[in-house]
Amino acid sequence: MMPGWGHYYADKTDWNRGKYHLAGEAVLVLSYFGLDARANTLENDFYTLAQSKAGTDLSNKSRDYLIAIGNYDNLEEYNQAQLRTRNWNRLYEDTPELRWSWESSDLRNQYRDAREQVDGNRSQLPTLVSLMVVNRLVSGISAFVKARDMGKNLPEASFSYVNQFGQRGVTANLRFEF
């Protein structure tokens, strides 16, 4: 469950490697929550910026829309670019809920940078989860090897294709001694 505890169980006097796994887990968990909180804060900031300086509400809008308002000063400019490149399926209808008009290109660039930072932060989250899984696996294997080498009472596992009544079936037994 928690990297490092197996090392502590195997040898309470020398579980230094377990401490490293535990510290690594703490760093990974804190990094995950820190990146997620940072992404949420930036997302709130660029939503507010778009609403106050471009006159558009980003609630329930597609990712393509979020990208479009970061690349074009207004809806008309965006639609003209799509017509020039013959992307008729990417045109947005000229309705009040889809219109935007940035007060300045600097504000639009500020919005785009914040949105890209959110994407960057969120793209790192699966990597952190993967590293947590790897840390747990390596810690578990290392603790098992340490316990085995110290002669601790390890769990005994057995599998059988005949059950306890002598009939065919798969039986698995796991026995712990304390």
Side-chain angles (χ1 to χ4, degrees), residues 14-27:
D14 180 25
W15 64 290
N16 287 332
R17 181 160 178 174
K19 291 175 186 177
Y20 293 128
H21 285 288
L22 186 60
E25 184 72 11
V27 167

Side-chain angles (χ1 to χ4, degrees), residues 92-156:
Y92 286 119
E93 195 174 329
D94 191 0
T95 61
E97 57 272 357
L98 293 177
R99 285 188 198 122
W100 75 88
S101 182
W102 286 101
E103 292 178 8
S104 72
S105 293
D106 289 338
L107 290 170
R108 179 179 51 82
N109 290 333
Q110 183 181 344
Y111 161 86
R112 185 181 62 226
D113 292 345
R115 190 198 53 74
E116 288 173 354
Q117 283 182 332
V118 168
D119 286 349
N121 287 347
R122 292 231 165 97
S123 70
Q124 294 176 31
L125 297 179
T127 302
L128 289 173
V129 171
S130 299
L131 289 172
M132 285 184 236
V133 169
V134 168
N135 185 40
R136 289 171 200 276
L137 290 172
V138 171
S139 177
I141 292 168
S142 173
F144 176 81
V145 169
K146 182 171 184 138
R148 182 193 65 201
D149 291 346
M150 293 186 66
K152 289 278 187 178
N153 294 330
L154 296 177
E156 294 178 20

Side-chain angles (χ1 to χ4, degrees), residues 63-80:
R63 178 168 158 52
D64 289 338
Y65 183 81
L66 300 180
I67 292 170
I69 68 168
N71 292 329
Y72 298 93
D73 285 332
N74 55 52
L75 177 62
E76 184 179 343
E77 183 182 312
Y78 169 81
N79 279 340
Q80 289 299 320

